[in-house]
């Protein structure tokens, strides 16, 4: 019996080392951040945080509730630490960072160095590593006040990117991927870029990060190739001119096979894409059923369009930005680890050869068969 | 004066001195007299007049010979249960047990006529094992009626009853009921031995017997099931269990009882098997919720807020913003209030119980939120905890959970999720370490038994022709394979 009591006391003492009632802090006694925005103004680091306004409706019934759900707090300093200190001095409660939905980095900040903040994010155990990171060239205060503080901007951005990902039109990358990339030998990745368009938040394209800073921008109308190379199972609609009509196809990627080879100091990638193209509808009156020959012709057209998109995306990375932001380096590293460590991936990638093979299977879907109703 | 007459006078004086509120009637006959002793409150007086006194008077008046006990037994009395005895020491006990004793001045033997009649209430609807579909007759305080309810359903010559009197003063009759070719002999023997070993002045209810039969005296968890409904008792008997009926108690005890069996309800067998399975899963989840809901709330709002999704975190913070107490204090207060309301509803008469329920709901629900005293979510969670505790059919298991809930809350308040996990482990350790009459409490989960594990969720005679493996019954097969 004595042994049992001693064992239980030992467990209790050990528990006190893990956690205790002194660690407890009620959720309502914390400043819950929904969005963090990083900016650089006149050489100073600036933090903008969107703090949930939890006091607005709390209280006995009958008290009027404020419509503002969030408060924007600004902190500035010569270093990130100073900026954060100023922020802390302006907040009523200690910062609760686990609820941050989006990390917005302005182009001013991102063009100089994003590594420091991502390293800070890695070191902070309370920061969710799955937080969404985006860049923006919009004015921070205009962006954070776009909904009149009645809705969280960070939450809106996260939902927007989530819905695009669920419709298979976006590459969803959490901050942990960026942290991982920043700590590896070669660093290149894409961050979604948002802006304000007609007083609405808009995903404008991708910011290209090479090394530890943003080096360029790819607009949304040029990102199809990138999506096909990197997204999980992308689905994008294409409008293809065929004979005298415009045909709308839903292109979905069935299978993607990327194989690196290394011969005579040349890096070569074989990219095989297997697409399914479903004819959704056409312009004008729908014809009778398309013949197999016509479908073959359509497949050829779609194949050439998709191939061009993919090749253009790769060419842009090689020629315009001179860097790999598709994660080809990981595939090569996995296949040729020794050679990878000896080479400079920057140089090898710019000279790399890409053999893109696209296969498209076209099928008709949801088309009307007029002949079935007596039409000629 | 003959020896017999001397003894007759001594016994008569002795019985009168006992001051048992006894009635007596003397009838003379040729060459002697007889004296009838009885306690009128516990015997059937009209039956006594009709079947005993009337034939005795008639015969005594007509007879030219002295009447003996044997002669009265064989030729005079109309009663169905009567006997003769010489044991003078047993007379008082016989009288107290509802017998009529007739002493003869010319005979050393005396006559015993069983005319016991105890006032009892009628068979009523169950109160703690309410069922939608099952039959509505349940046990009452009269042992004979309870046995008749079982015999009415099980007309098997293998149904056995072992009667034991317990209590030096109360001499409470206890019936051990089982089906001989199903129930394990070891189990029956063990229960019988434990009951015979009880050495106490008095037992008035099955709850007291239950305390004596426990394997582990200090365990919170019930190790015997409570049975109120006769149909459920019959189901248990057919499953190889032993039912203990106590005279004067409307609740029978079933043994052995495992943890999962406390979640069984009669309706599970009578309704569609998939619905039964669904309801069992609901009950398992409900008990877990009853035990952990408020502790999880405290852990999430005070310690591990980072486990909350952002939207909920903001919502929770908004709800708690104006609450004057920390979550920990709020949780304790609300849980205590809930327990007070529950207890008051149990103790007050039914007619005003509903009024108290309304008052409780208004005070705790409306007023507490309006005044900003408690977080609405905390009240929802405490109410959920209270409601889910009513889902489990056997309230004895819920009583254990009611106590454990507060200890778990205390551990969580002190150590957060670590404390929560540690105390849940302690509960689990306790559950796997106790047994009910040799049967592991957590069977078929621990030790794991695949056959019975699936039947813990879906028990149906059309699916499985066998009784539970872990019961070690003599006869496992219940139905022919369909």
């Amino acid at each position: 019996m004595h042994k049992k009591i001693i064992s239980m006391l030992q467990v209790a003492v050990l528990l006190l080392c893990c956690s205790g009632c002194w660690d407890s802090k009620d959720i309502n006694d914390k400043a819950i951040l929904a969005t963090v925005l990083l900016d650089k103004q006149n050489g100073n680091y600036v933090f903008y945080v969107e703090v949930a306004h939890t006091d607005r409706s709390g209280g006995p019934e009958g008290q009027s509730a404020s419509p503002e759900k969030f408060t924007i707090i600004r902190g500035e300093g010569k270093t990130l630490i100073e900026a954060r200190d100023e922020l802390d001095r302006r907040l009523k409660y200690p910062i609760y960072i686990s609820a941050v939905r989006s990390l917005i980095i302005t182009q001013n900040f991102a063009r100089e160095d994003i590594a420091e903040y991502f390293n800070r994010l890695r070191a902070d155990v309370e920061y969710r590593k799955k937080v969404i990171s985006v860049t923006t060239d919009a004015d921070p205060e205009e962006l954070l006040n776009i909904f009149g503080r009645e809705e969280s901007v960070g939450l809106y951005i996260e939902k927007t990117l989530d819905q695009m990902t669920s419709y298979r039109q976006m590459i969803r990358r959490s901050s942990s991927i960026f942290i991982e990339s920043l700590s590896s030998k070669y660093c290149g990745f894409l961050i979604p870029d948002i802006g304000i368009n007609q007083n609405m938040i808009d995903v404008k394209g991708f910011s290209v990060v090479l090394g530890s800073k943003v080096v360029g921008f790819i607009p949304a109308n040029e990102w199809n190739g990138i999506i096909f190379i990197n997204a999980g199972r992308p689905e994008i609609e294409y409008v293809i001119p065929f004979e005298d009509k415009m045909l709308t196809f839903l292109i979905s990627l069935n299978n993607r096979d990327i194989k690196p080879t290394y011969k005579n100091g040349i890096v070569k990638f074989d990219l095989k894409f297997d697409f399914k193209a479903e004819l959704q509808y056409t312009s004008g009156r729908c014809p009778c059923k398309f013949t197999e020959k016509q479908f073959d012709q359509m497949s050829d057209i779609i194949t050439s369009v998709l191939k061009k998109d993919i090749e253009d995306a790769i060419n842009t990375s090689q020629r315009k930005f001179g860097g790999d932001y598709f994660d080809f380096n990981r595939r090569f590293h996995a296949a040729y680890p020794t050679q990878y460590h000896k080479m400079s991936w920057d140089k090898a990638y710019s000279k790399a050869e890409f053999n893109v093979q696209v296969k498209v299977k076209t099928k008709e879907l949801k088309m009307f068969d007029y002949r079935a109703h007596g039409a000629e | 004066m003959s020896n017999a007459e001397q003894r007759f006078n001594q016994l008569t004086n002795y019985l009168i001195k006992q001051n048992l509120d006894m009635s007596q009637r003397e009838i003379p006959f040729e060459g002697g007299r007889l004296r009838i002793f009885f306690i009128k409150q516990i015997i059937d007086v009209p039956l006594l007049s009709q079947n005993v006194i009337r034939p005795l008077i008639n015969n005594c008046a007509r007879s030219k010979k002295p009447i003996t006990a044997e002669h009265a037994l064989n030729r005079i009395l109309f009663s169905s249960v009567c006997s003769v005895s010489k044991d003078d020491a047993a007379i008082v006990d016989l009288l107290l047990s509802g017998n009529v004793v007739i002493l003869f001045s010319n005979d050393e033997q005396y006559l015993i006529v069983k005319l016991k009649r105890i006032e009892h209430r009628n068979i009523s609807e169950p109160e703690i094992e309410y069922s939608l579909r099952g039959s509505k007759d349940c046990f009452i305080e009269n042992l004979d009626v309870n046995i008749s309810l079982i015999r009415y359903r099980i007309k098997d010559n293998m149904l056995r009853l072992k009667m034991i009197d317990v209590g030096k003063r109360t001499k409470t009759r206890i019936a051990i009921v089982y089906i001989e070719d199903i129930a394990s002999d070891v189990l029956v023997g063990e229960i019988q031995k434990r009951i015979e070993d009880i050495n106490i002045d008095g037992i008035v209810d099955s709850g007291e017997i239950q305390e004596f039969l426990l394997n582990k005296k200090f365990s919170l968890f019930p190790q015997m099931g409570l049975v109120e409904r006769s149909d459920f008792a019959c189901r248990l008997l057919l499953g190889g269990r032993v039912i203990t009926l106590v005279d004067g108690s409307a609740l029978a005890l079933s043994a052995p009882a495992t943890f999962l069996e406390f979640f069984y309800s009669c309706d599970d067998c009578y309704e569609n098997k998939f619905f039964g399975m669904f309801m069992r899963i609901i009950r398992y989840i409900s008990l877990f919720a009853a035990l952990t809901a408020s502790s999880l709330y405290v852990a999430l709002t005070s310690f591990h807020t980072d486990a909350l999704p952002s939207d909920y975190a903001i919502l929770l913070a908004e709800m708690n913003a104006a609450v004057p107490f920390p979550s920990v204090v709020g949780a304790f207060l609300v849980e205590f209030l809930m327990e007070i309301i529950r207890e008051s509803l149990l103790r007050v008469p039914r007619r005003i119980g509903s009024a108290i329920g309304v008052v409780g709901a208004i005070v705790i629900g409306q007023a507490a939120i309006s005044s900003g005293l408690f977080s609405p979510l905390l009240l929802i969670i405490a109410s959920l905890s209270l409601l889910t505790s009513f889902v489990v059919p056997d309230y004895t298991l819920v009583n254990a959970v009611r106590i454990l809930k507060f200890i778990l809350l205390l551990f969580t308040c002190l150590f957060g999720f670590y404390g929560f996990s540690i105390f849940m482990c302690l509960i689990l350790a306790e559950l796997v370490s106790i047994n009910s009459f040799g049967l592991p409490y957590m069977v078929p989960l621990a030790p794991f038994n695949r056959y019975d594990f699936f039947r813990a969720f879906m028990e149906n005679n059309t699916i499985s022709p066998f009784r539970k493996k872990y019961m070690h019954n003599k006869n496992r097969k219940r139905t022919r394979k369909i």
Side-chain angles (χ1 to χ4, degrees):
Chain A
M1 192 64 188
H2 286 296
K3 274 187 181 177
K4 272 186 185 175
I5 292 168
I6 290 167
S7 308
M8 287 175 82
L9 283 173
Q10 283 173 342
V11 170
V13 171
L14 284 173
L15 274 172
L16 292 173
C17 301
C18 300
S19 170
C21 44
W22 50 86
D23 282 340
S24 74
K25 189 86 184 165
D26 279 358
I27 187 84
N28 46 311
D29 294 335
K30 294 177 180 178
I32 303 171
L33 305 191
T35 313
V36 173
L37 190 144
L38 290 172
D39 193 14
K40 214 154 189 193
Q41 294 169 5
N42 307 320
N44 282 348
Y45 290 94
V46 183
F47 271 118
Y48 288 91
V49 290
E50 195 182 50
V51 187
H53 195 177
T54 52
D55 291 344
R56 72 195 171 86
S57 60
E61 277 181 13
Q63 285 187 6
S64 61
S66 159
E68 285 187 7
K69 290 184 180 171
F70 296 92
T71 311
I72 310 298
I73 310 284
R74 185 179 184 277
E76 186 174 346
K78 285 179 185 169
T79 61
L80 283 171
I81 300 291
E82 282 182 19
R84 170 64 194 263
D85 284 348
E86 190 173 276
L87 205 60
D88 286 339
R89 290 197 298 274
R90 292 177 177 180
L91 285 164
K92 189 169 145 190
Y93 297 120
I95 278 183
Y96 174 67
I97 215 156
S98 300
V100 173
R101 308 304 292 253
S102 297
L103 169 65
I104 305 170
I105 306 167
T106 62
Q107 290 288 355
N108 289 342
F109 188 103
R111 275 191 217 108
E112 290 191 11
D113 181 29
I114 59 167
E116 187 184 354
Y117 192 76
F118 276 108
N119 288 336
R120 184 185 171 85
L121 192 150
R122 179 173 59 180
D124 192 338
V125 288
E126 287 188 358
Y127 224 131
R128 285 186 197 198
K129 304 300 177 275
K130 291 193 87 177
V131 66
I132 292 275
S133 298
V134 293
T135 59
T136 185
D137 60 355
D139 176 65
E141 294 199 13
E142 189 189 352
L143 180 68
L144 291 174
N145 285 301
I146 197 161
F147 300 123
R149 302 183 183 185
E150 288 179 29
E151 188 177 350
S152 165
V153 172
L155 183 60
Y156 189 91
I157 293 167
E158 189 194 50
K159 296 276 182 202
T160 307
L161 293 179
D162 278 351
Q163 67 86 8
M164 289 177 75
T165 310
S166 67
Y167 281 104
R168 303 175 180 186
Q169 293 165 356
M170 173 50 75
I171 306 164
R172 178 79 148 78
R173 292 277 193 272
S174 63
S175 296
S176 61
I177 304 287
F178 304 149
I179 293 168
E180 195 183 324
S181 186
L182 283 164
S183 59
S184 60
K185 184 187 169 190
Y186 181 82
C187 174
F189 54 86
L190 298 167
I191 300 182
D193 187 83
I194 55 143
I196 299 174
N197 189 4
Q198 295 177 343
N199 213 25
M200 292 297 293
I201 291 175
D202 186 14
V203 181
K204 291 167 67 182
F206 284 118
S207 286
V208 177
V209 178
L210 292 174
S212 64
K213 57 187 177 186
V214 169
V215 296
F217 173 73
I218 298 167
N221 57 4
E222 291 176 21
W223 75 19
N224 284 2
I226 297 169
I227 303 286
F228 286 135
I229 294 170
N230 271 23
R233 288 178 69 83
E235 273 185 1
I236 300 176
E237 285 187 326
Y238 272 73
V239 181
I240 307 287
F242 182 73
E243 295 175 351
D244 59 338
K245 296 193 182 307
M246 300 300 283
L247 311 183
T248 301
F249 283 92
L250 177 68
I251 311 288
S252 23
L253 181 66
N254 276 345
N255 192 24
R256 177 174 54 210
D257 185 23
I258 300 174
K259 270 189 186 162
T261 49
Y262 186 62
K263 269 184 191 170
N264 306 323
I266 302 290
V267 177
K268 195 176 170 187
F269 280 91
D270 288 315
L271 287 81
K272 287 180 187 171
F273 294 89
D274 188 1
F275 288 102
K276 180 175 76 178
E278 286 176 354
L279 179 55
Q280 302 281 305
Y281 51 86
T282 71
S283 63
R285 270 171 66 84
C286 184
C288 308
K289 271 195 162 311
F290 288 111
T291 61
E292 275 193 23
K293 193 181 170 187
Q294 283 174 310
F295 271 120
D296 289 343
Q297 288 170 347
M298 287 178 211
S299 293
D300 292 343
I301 296 168
I302 296 166
T303 303
S304 61
V305 169
L306 295 178
K307 190 174 177 184
K308 185 176 178 303
D309 278 353
I310 293 165
E311 286 176 341
D312 283 353
I314 295 168
N315 280 338
T316 307
S317 74
Q318 282 184 303
R319 312 285 169 251
K320 188 176 171 185
F321 298 113
D324 169 22
Y325 43 78
F326 292 106
D327 285 346
F328 285 127
N329 61 324
R330 285 168 188 260
R331 293 172 192 276
F332 188 81
H333 185 193
Y336 300 95
T338 318
Q339 289 87 337
Y340 179 78
H341 283 295
K342 284 178 186 168
M343 68 170 55
S344 160
W345 182 249
D346 270 331
K347 288 176 189 170
Y349 180 74
S350 58
K351 290 175 190 167
E353 293 175 10
F354 287 87
N355 176 26
V356 180
Q357 290 176 41
V358 175
K359 215 165 103 181
V360 178
K361 192 177 176 185
T362 312
K363 69 180 223 181
E364 189 181 9
L365 193 78
K366 300 171 191 168
M367 296 297 289
F368 295 101
D369 184 359
Y370 284 96
R371 215 158 29 188
H373 299 283
E376 287 302 316
Chain B
M1 193 184 285
S2 68
N3 285 342
E5 193 160 355
Q6 217 168 4
R7 182 178 152 274
F8 174 82
N9 290 334
Q10 280 172 356
L11 273 175
T12 304
N13 291 335
Y14 170 72
L15 290 172
I16 290 165
K17 277 183 190 168
Q18 291 297 309
N19 200 12
L20 296 173
D21 189 22
M22 203 161 43
S23 305
Q24 50 179 303
R25 169 85 189 260
E26 192 174 278
I27 303 171
F29 55 81
E30 186 65 37
R33 56 199 163 112
L34 60 86
R35 196 179 284 264
I36 304 168
F37 291 96
F38 57 94
I39 300 170
K40 65 182 177 199
Q41 289 86 357
I42 55 172
I43 65 148
D44 195 334
V45 177
L47 216 60
L48 173 71
S49 308
Q50 189 68 28
N51 293 352
V52 179
I53 298 176
R54 191 173 173 177
L56 278 172
I57 289 176
N58 285 342
N59 273 277
C60 290
R62 281 203 303 266
S63 179
K64 302 290 181 198
K65 288 180 186 174
I67 295 171
T68 61
E70 277 293 339
H71 178 78
L73 173 75
N74 297 329
R75 302 278 172 94
I76 301 171
L77 297 188
F78 297 158
S79 287
S80 54
V81 186
C82 41
S83 59
V84 289
S85 174
K86 269 185 177 177
D87 184 7
D88 295 347
I91 292 176
V92 173
D93 287 345
L94 287 167
L95 287 168
L96 290 171
S97 305
N99 294 291
V100 174
V101 172
I102 308 170
L103 301 179
F104 293 83
S105 63
N106 57 333
D107 193 352
E108 288 190 350
Q109 287 187 317
Y110 59 88
L111 193 60
I112 308 157
V113 185
K114 186 155 190 171
L115 289 174
K116 185 178 177 184
R117 205 195 74 159
I118 304 290
E119 291 301 328
H120 59 80
R121 65 185 170 98
N122 292 329
I123 294 170
S124 58
E125 287 198 6
E127 290 199 354
I128 62 167
E129 279 185 354
Y130 191 77
S131 147
L132 290 176
R133 190 159 171 175
S135 57
K136 302 284 184 268
D137 57 331
C138 68
F139 290 138
I140 59 166
E141 289 75 10
N142 189 300
L143 180 64
D144 296 326
V145 175
N146 294 346
I147 291 170
S148 73
L149 287 173
I150 292 176
R151 283 223 182 267
Y152 158 70
R153 284 204 166 79
I154 302 178
K155 300 162 190 78
D156 184 6
N157 61 351
M158 287 295 170
L159 182 73
R160 295 282 181 266
L161 278 104
K162 283 191 177 171
M163 306 298 290
I164 303 169
D165 286 352
V166 175
K168 280 178 191 165
R169 292 180 189 279
T170 57
K171 296 185 176 57
T172 312
R173 283 195 304 153
I174 291 174
I176 302 170
V177 189
Y178 61 98
I179 298 176
E180 192 173 24
D181 58 344
I182 301 176
S184 153
D185 289 337
V186 180
L187 175 66
V188 177
E190 182 65 25
I191 292 172
Q192 188 179 348
K193 184 178 168 295
R194 287 190 196 185
I195 292 175
E196 283 170 348
D197 286 349
I198 297 172
N199 187 1
I200 193 170
D201 58 345
I203 289 280
V204 291
D205 192 82
S206 59
E208 290 174 89
I209 287 283
Q210 188 179 4
E211 289 299 313
F212 281 103
L213 299 185
L214 292 183
N215 281 28
K216 215 173 172 180
K217 302 289 179 203
F218 297 105
S219 179
L220 273 175
F221 293 99
Q223 291 152 45
M224 291 185 91
L226 285 187
V227 190
E228 187 189 27
R229 300 157 52 103
S230 57
D231 61 329
F232 191 50
C234 294
R235 268 197 65 80
L236 291 170
L237 287 170
L238 291 170
R241 282 166 189 78
V242 177
I243 299 290
T244 308
L245 295 163
V246 178
D247 200 8
S249 173
L251 288 174
L253 303 170
S254 77
T258 63
F259 181 72
L260 293 185
E261 284 168 9
F262 286 98
F263 296 86
Y264 294 177
S265 161
C266 285
D267 284 342
D268 296 353
C269 318
Y270 305 146
E271 296 285 357
N272 179 288
K273 49 185 165 287
F274 297 105
F275 181 73
M277 180 177 75
F278 174 66
M279 287 320 297
R280 272 186 202 182
I281 292 170
I282 292 281
R283 285 181 210 129
Y284 297 145
I285 295 169
S286 296
L287 190 83
F288 184 77
L291 177 66
T292 61
S294 46
S295 303
L296 285 174
Y297 170 80
V298 169
L300 285 173
T301 53
S302 293
F303 287 87
H304 311 282
T305 44
D306 46 349
L308 287 167
S310 312
D311 298 355
Y312 297 137
I314 294 170
L315 191 70
L316 266 178
E318 276 184 12
M319 284 182 186
N320 291 355
V323 177
F325 312 116
S327 302
V328 172
V329 178
F332 265 111
L333 285 176
V334 171
E335 285 292 355
F336 270 119
L337 277 173
M338 290 291 175
E339 287 299 325
I340 288 167
I341 289 181
R342 182 210 289 253
E343 197 58 22
S344 63
L345 284 174
L346 284 176
R347 303 293 158 222
V348 296
R350 273 188 198 172
R351 289 193 181 178
I352 57 168
S354 55
I356 288 187
V358 172
V359 170
I362 290 169
V363 169
I364 290 198
Q366 193 60 37
I369 293 174
S370 305
S371 62
L373 205 60
F374 297 115
S375 156
L377 183 67
L378 178 59
L379 283 172
I380 292 169
I381 282 173
S383 310
L384 177 85
S385 171
L386 183 71
L387 282 178
T388 48
S389 67
F390 290 119
V391 175
V392 180
D394 195 319
Y395 78 92
T396 51
L397 184 64
V398 178
N399 286 348
V401 167
R402 282 167 68 185
I403 296 171
L404 291 173
K405 179 170 65 178
F406 281 98
I407 306 173
L408 182 65
L409 190 56
L410 184 70
F411 264 70
T412 311
C413 294
L414 289 175
F415 308 116
F417 257 126
Y418 296 108
F420 178 88
S421 313
I422 290 283
F423 193 68
M424 288 300 280
C425 288
L426 289 176
I427 293 174
L428 206 61
E430 168 69 4
L431 284 172
V432 295
S433 67
I434 53 180
N435 67 72
S436 172
F437 295 91
L439 190 67
Y441 200 53
M442 285 301 280
V443 74
L445 301 173
F448 184 71
N449 176 339
R450 196 176 59 182
Y451 178 87
D452 292 329
F453 174 75
F454 291 112
R455 274 142 197 88
F457 296 94
M458 188 188 281
E459 189 179 3
N460 192 280
N461 296 333
T462 59
I463 293 174
S464 164
F466 296 106
R467 295 187 174 87
K468 290 194 173 73
K469 245 183 191 176
Y470 61 74
M471 284 297 297
H472 304 296
N473 292 320
K474 286 184 201 161
N475 177 2
R476 280 202 60 223
K477 201 161 186 176
R478 241 192 123 171
T479 57
R480 283 174 181 278
K481 198 144 193 174
I482 295 162

